[in-house]
Amino acid sequence: MENIEKKAASCKRVHCLVLSYPAQGHINPLLQFAKRLEHKGLKVTLVTTYFISKSLHRDSSSPSTSISLEAISDGYDEGGSAQTEGVEAYLERFWQIGPRSLCELVENMNGSGVPVDCIVYDSFLPWALDVAKKFGLVGAAFLTQSCVVDCIYYHVNKGLLKLPLLDSQLLLPGMPPLEPQDMPSFVYDLGSYPAVSDMVVKYQFDNIDKADWVLCNTFYELEKEVAQWLGKHWSLKTIGPTIPSMYLDKQIEEDKDYGFSIFKPNNESCIKWLNDRANEETSQKGLVVNWCPQLEVLAHEATGCFLTHCGWNSTMEALSLGVPMVAMPQWTDQSTNSKCVMDVWKTGLKVPADDKGIVRREAIAHCIREILQGERGKEIRQNAGKWSNFAKEAVTKGGSSDKNIDDFVANSISSKSF
C-alpha cells in the first residue's frame, strides 16, 4: 500500500475521469469512489451533465471539494430530462450528444496540461468505453447495483435466461432459489418502462466484456459466490461499500457525507427530532421531510429500524451501519435486494402485500414490532451487526475492497506512458 501511494505521489499527472449518470443515486457511489482514488494519490475529475452540475449543492467541509467537477452535454443543458417528453426521448438525445461532448472534454483536458489516463464510467453510459478506447485510455465500467442483480441482467442480456419467465422457481449461479416476483421488475414485468429497461438490461452489458475493469459497488464477503462467478466472465473487482469513510474505516478525514446533493436535506430538523428520542423509542407522531440526511439518521442511536424501498444505495447504507430493514420494494432492482435482505443476509423483513397487491399499514406495523420487540428481531439485529463489521473490514487497509482499489490504482499508474 505504501509503495502504491509513493508511486502515485510521484506521478501527479495520473488523471482519472469519473463519469456519472445524471441522478443522485449514481452520483453518490461514483463520488465516493472518486474520493478513494484521490486519497490513494490519483488526480480525479467527476463528470456529470451541465444541468445537474449547476443544480448540485456542495458541502464546503467535505473532502469532495478537492475533486474537480466538469460537465458534458446531454442535449438538454437548461433542464435535463425535465425538458423532454419522456425518458425515451431523453436517452435517445443523450446517446447522440453525450459521446461527442465527452470526446471534446477529453481533448480539451489533453491539451491543457492535465491529460486523461483513465475513464471510470457509470455502466448506464456504455458509450463512454468507446470514447476511452478512441483515445487509448483505460476504460473501467462502474456497476451501481448489486452483483446479484447484475448477474440476472447479464443472463437475460446473453439469452441465458429466457423471457417471459415461465418457471415458478429460477436457479442462477451463486444465488438462492428465486421466484419470478423476486426478480428485478424489468425481468418479471415485461414492457414496463421500456426505455429504462433497455438501458439497464441491454445496453449497459452490450460491451462490458471489452472493459479493462468492471468495478462493482458491493463488498466481496456480501456476495462472494456471485462475485466469483462474474469474475470468470469479466475483470470484476468489488470496491464497496461506497459510503463516506467516517462511517466505515475513517481513512479519509472529515468524510462525513457525500458532499454533492441535488436536493437540500433538512439536516437540523431531522437530527433535532431524533435527539429528543431515546434508543428505539417512538412517540405517537413521526416527522415528514422532503429530503433527509439519511446517513446521519441511520447512524443515530435512536434509529431502531429502516423502512425502505431497498434501492441499492439505501440497502448498502443500512448494511454498513448495522440497521435492520423493513423492506417495501417498488420497482427495478428493489425486489431482488429485498429478497437478499430477508432470506440471504437475514437483516430485515419484507412487508407482505395483500391479494390486491397493496401493502397495508397493519403489515408494516407488524414487521416493525417484530424487529424491535419480537424473537426474530434478535437474530436480525445480530446479523445486521455482523454485516456491518464485514463492510467496515472490506474498506479498511488490507480489506478485500481496499486491496482491489489498490490494484486498480497500481494498474492506472503502470499503464501511463512517461
Side-chain angles (χ1 to χ4, degrees):
M1 171 61 194
E2 289 182 1
N3 288 335
I4 291 173
E5 289 179 341
K6 286 179 181 177
K7 287 180 181 178
S10 65
C11 180
K12 293 295 186 183
R13 295 180 65 192
V14 175
H15 183 195
C16 184
L17 290 191
V18 176
L19 174 65
S20 173
Y21 184 81
Q24 188 74 65
H26 290 250
I27 292 170
N28 284 354
L30 282 150
L31 176 58
Q32 283 306 129
F33 183 61
K35 293 178 191 176
R36 292 278 175 186
L37 296 182
E38 186 184 59
H39 177 69
K40 292 180 180 291
L42 298 189
K43 174 177 174 55
V44 184
T45 299
L46 180 70
V47 182
T48 186
T49 61
Y50 282 114
F51 176 71
I52 292 296
S53 69
K54 291 183 288 187
S55 306
L56 289 173
H57 300 276
R58 196 163 186 170
D59 183 350
S60 60
S61 64
S62 170
S64 63
T65 55
S66 61
I67 292 175
S68 302
L69 179 64
E70 292 287 346
I72 61 171
S73 179
D74 58 3
Y76 299 97
D77 298 343
E78 299 305 316
S81 58
Q83 272 188 276
T84 72
E85 295 180 357
V87 176
E88 186 172 1
Y90 174 75
L91 293 177
E92 182 178 353
R93 181 71 170 159
F94 195 3
W95 260 236
Q96 293 172 352
I97 301 296
R100 194 159 64 236
S101 186
L102 182 59
C103 283
E104 292 171 357
L105 177 62
V106 173
E107 288 171 347
N108 290 339
M109 287 185 160
N110 288 348
S112 65
V114 284
V116 178
D117 303 297
C118 169
I119 298 178
V120 175
Y121 64 93
D122 193 318
S123 60
F124 279 23
L125 305 174
W127 43 259
L129 180 60
D130 299 328
V131 175
K133 297 302 181 185
K134 175 181 177 180
F135 288 93
L137 308 176
V138 172
F142 189 102
L143 298 165
T144 57
Q145 296 178 315
S146 70
C147 281
V148 167
V149 168
D150 293 322
C151 189
I152 292 170
Y153 288 153
Y154 180 79
H155 276 76
V156 175
N157 180 276
K158 298 302 180 184
L160 303 173
L161 180 62
K162 303 295 184 182
L163 302 181
L165 300 174
L166 300 177
D167 297 327
S168 59
Q169 191 175 80
L170 300 146
L171 297 174
L172 295 174
M175 302 183 204
L178 299 173
E179 297 179 3
Q181 62 266 29
D182 298 325
M183 303 294 269
S185 62
F186 302 130
V187 175
Y188 76 81
D189 185 14
L190 290 182
S192 61
Y193 304 95
V196 180
S197 177
D198 284 347
M199 176 177 68
V200 172
V201 181
K202 184 178 187 302
Y203 300 137
Q204 75 166 327
F205 296 109
D206 275 352
N207 65 355
I208 200 168
D209 299 342
K210 299 176 184 177
D212 297 299
W213 295 78
V214 178
L215 309 170
C216 189
N217 178 23
T218 187
F219 53 102
Y220 180 74
E221 294 76 9
L222 186 70
E223 303 187 88
K224 185 180 299 183
E225 292 82 6
V226 187
Q228 287 175 343
W229 189 88
L230 287 174
K232 296 175 183 177
H233 299 269
W234 307 331
S235 299
L236 180 79
K237 297 289 184 181
T238 54
I239 49 77
T242 54
I243 74 170
S245 177
M246 295 307 290
Y247 293 96
L248 293 170
D249 58 301
K250 299 178 172 57
Q251 288 192 65
I252 306 176
E253 294 182 5
E254 300 302 318
D255 186 26
K256 294 180 286 192
D257 69 22
Y258 292 104
F260 290 156
S261 179
I262 298 172
F263 310 101
K264 193 167 181 60
N266 300 73
N267 293 46
E268 187 176 341
S269 58
C270 290
I271 302 307
K272 181 181 183 303
W273 188 85
L274 286 169
N275 286 341
D276 291 339
R277 273 136 193 91
N279 300 354
E280 299 189 350
E281 180 191 63
T282 61
S283 69
Q284 295 302 309
K285 294 182 179 179
L287 178 69
V288 178
V289 295
N290 292 326
W291 195 257
C292 81
Q294 187 163 289
L295 281 167
E296 286 187 67
V297 170
L298 291 177
H300 199 283
E301 61 183 7
T303 300
C305 68
F306 178 28
L307 176 62
T308 171
H309 289 320
C310 278
W312 188 235
N313 287 339
S314 292
T315 301
M316 285 293 280
E317 290 177 2
L319 286 167
S320 298
L321 294 170
V323 181
M325 285 171 267
V326 174
M328 197 169 75
Q330 299 294 298
W331 75 312
T332 186
D333 62 337
Q334 296 167 4
S335 293
T336 310
N337 297 340
S338 66
K339 168 69 174 179
C340 292
V341 165
M342 182 165 172
D343 293 334
V344 180
W345 308 316
K346 300 183 187 301
T347 60
L349 298 174
K350 180 181 177 182
V351 186
D354 65 14
D355 54 5
K356 295 181 180 178
I358 298 173
V359 171
R360 302 294 178 179
R361 61 183 181 181
E362 294 83 5
I364 297 173
H366 173 77
C367 289
I368 293 173
R369 281 196 300 269
E370 185 66 23
I371 287 177
L372 296 182
Q373 301 166 1
E375 284 300 312
R376 294 175 72 186
K378 294 178 182 178
E379 180 187 2
I380 287 170
R381 292 195 299 274
Q382 288 175 350
N383 287 332
K386 177 187 74 173
W387 287 115
S388 175
N389 289 334
F390 280 134
K392 291 169 183 172
E393 290 170 4
V395 291
T396 298
K397 283 190 178 182
S400 57
S401 293
D402 187 67
K403 285 181 179 177
N404 288 338
I405 297 172
D406 281 346
D407 288 346
F408 178 76
V409 170
N411 178 271
S412 299
I413 294 168
S414 63
S415 66
K416 182 174 174 61
S417 300
F418 295 98

